Amino acid sequence: MTSKKVYIADSAFYSFVNRAHPKHEQASAYFRYFGLEKYSLFTDIFTLLEVYNRIYNEISPSLAKDFLRIASISDINIIYPEERDIKAALKTLTNYRTTDLTFDQSLRAVLANKRGITQIYTFDYLHPLFGQNVFYLPI
């Protein structure tokens, strides 16, 4: 049986909020599925800030504010990293074999791994860290 825990990345949130995004319909289907199947959703404060800034700059300041308001009252678990999480992310980043891993991706992987989350919902490339994989809807 697969885990019902999923970590939400910034590309998934942004695609869901931006109705003009090419992956909006797909993102909507994912969030509907998560609700129907009662998944536990997780994200971190840096992801929320990244999505907020992107919505603010590319769509609308008022929509960005609404995004944060809704995120704060939703059932999505917001993870706040501790100092040891930051250090583990830095260690992961510096020891990774290629240069395309970013700090936020490393931190997301560390935070998810710490909580036993093996599935990440993203539309971006997911680096193979800690055995994590991209969440796909079952067919």
Side-chain angles (χ1 to χ4, degrees), residues 105-119:
Q105 294 167 337
S106 176
L107 182 61
R108 179 175 53 231
V110 166
L111 293 173
N113 184 55
K114 181 177 176 181
R115 285 155 183 82
I117 304 167
T118 59
Q119 301 177 97

Side-chain angles (χ1 to χ4, degrees), residues 12-33:
F13 278 126
Y14 185 76
S15 299
F16 179 69
V17 172
N18 183 356
R19 291 183 179 192
H21 194 279
K23 300 229 182 219
H24 173 73
E25 292 300 321
Q26 188 177 356
S28 296
Y30 274 81
F31 280 104
R32 265 192 310 279
Y33 179 79

Side-chain angles (χ1 to χ4, degrees), residues 2-69:
T2 60
S3 172
K4 289 232 174 181
K5 292 178 169 181
V6 177
Y7 204 97
I8 311 295
D10 56 334
S11 63
F13 278 126
Y14 185 76
S15 299
F16 179 69
V17 172
N18 183 356
R19 291 183 179 192
H21 194 279
K23 300 229 182 219
H24 173 73
E25 292 300 321
Q26 188 177 356
S28 296
Y30 274 81
F31 280 104
R32 265 192 310 279
Y33 179 79
F34 293 145
L36 290 172
E37 296 297 322
K38 299 184 179 7
Y39 272 73
S40 296
L41 303 179
F42 297 83
T43 196
D44 61 82
I45 190 66
F46 297 115
T47 296
L48 292 178
L49 290 173
E50 173 66 28
V51 176
Y52 169 82
N53 287 330
R54 193 165 173 198
I55 295 169
Y56 186 95
N57 292 322
E58 297 177 18
I59 303 174
S60 158
S62 62
L63 182 60
K65 185 177 177 181
D66 286 344
F67 168 74
L68 287 184
R69 184 179 54 78

Side-chain angles (χ1 to χ4, degrees), residues 65-85:
K65 185 177 177 181
D66 286 344
F67 168 74
L68 287 184
R69 184 179 54 78
I70 291 167
S72 71
I73 61 173
S74 73
D75 287 337
I76 297 172
N77 299 290
I78 302 170
I79 301 170
Y80 301 89
E82 299 172 354
E83 182 179 355
R84 66 178 174 241
D85 300 326

